[in-house]
Amino acid sequence: MSKIFIPAFVALTGCATLPAAAPQPGDAEIRLALSAAEASLRQLVLDVRDDAAVPDYAGSLARLDEARVTVATQAVLGAATYGAVRTAERALLGVTLKVCADGVEKMAAGGRADAQGYAQGQLGFSCLVPLSLFAVR
């Protein structure tokens, strides 16, 4: 006769709820930095679309750099407590922020028409959507 591990059986049947993962060190700081960077990028996209507005490329780059530094700092400080999944997530977030910064630099270097095309297309898929997902998480 086989034994059934009752707590695992109860969890699998849906009779019990599993606790949410505990927040990791630095999650609040990272979330705040990401929210500021995302808001700045969304405003940049709106400014690029409006011919009367002056896009603030330098401000967006500054917020992206701040977010990158925050992610790197928190990753170093919390390296001992992070698991493999959390470490990979932080690395992916750093890469996403670098792609965003490169996109903003590309927009600043090109003309307004090029910046509008990039803001409406590639920036949304490669930068804004991933940052939104990270900020919500």
Side-chain angles (χ1 to χ4, degrees):
M1 179 172 191
S2 63
K3 295 181 181 180
I4 297 175
F5 188 63
I6 300 297
F9 181 70
V10 169
L12 289 175
T13 60
C15 297
T17 58
L18 299 175
Q24 296 294 319
D27 279 353
E29 291 86 359
I30 291 172
R31 188 168 287 122
L32 286 173
L34 285 179
S35 295
E38 180 191 8
S40 176
L41 286 174
R42 289 193 184 281
Q43 185 61 46
L44 180 66
V45 168
L46 292 174
D47 290 345
V48 166
R49 287 182 182 172
D50 186 8
D51 290 333
V54 177
D56 185 17
Y57 297 113
S60 293
L61 284 173
R63 287 201 175 72
L64 286 169
D65 286 341
E66 179 184 341
R68 286 172 56 197
V69 168
T70 303
V71 169
T73 303
Q74 296 303 329
V76 169
L77 293 176
T81 59
Y82 290 162
V85 172
R86 189 66 70 152
T87 302
E89 181 182 83
R90 296 292 188 252
L92 182 61
L93 184 55
V95 170
T96 302
L97 290 169
K98 175 65 174 149
V99 167
C100 293
D102 290 347
V104 171
E105 288 175 354
K106 182 178 178 180
M107 288 170 61
R112 191 165 192 98
D114 292 337
Q116 286 177 347
Y118 189 80
Q120 292 174 354
Q122 189 175 353
L123 186 70
F125 291 111
S126 64
C127 189
L128 289 175
V129 171
L131 281 184
S132 297
L133 294 174
F134 277 116
V136 169
R137 189 181 179 298

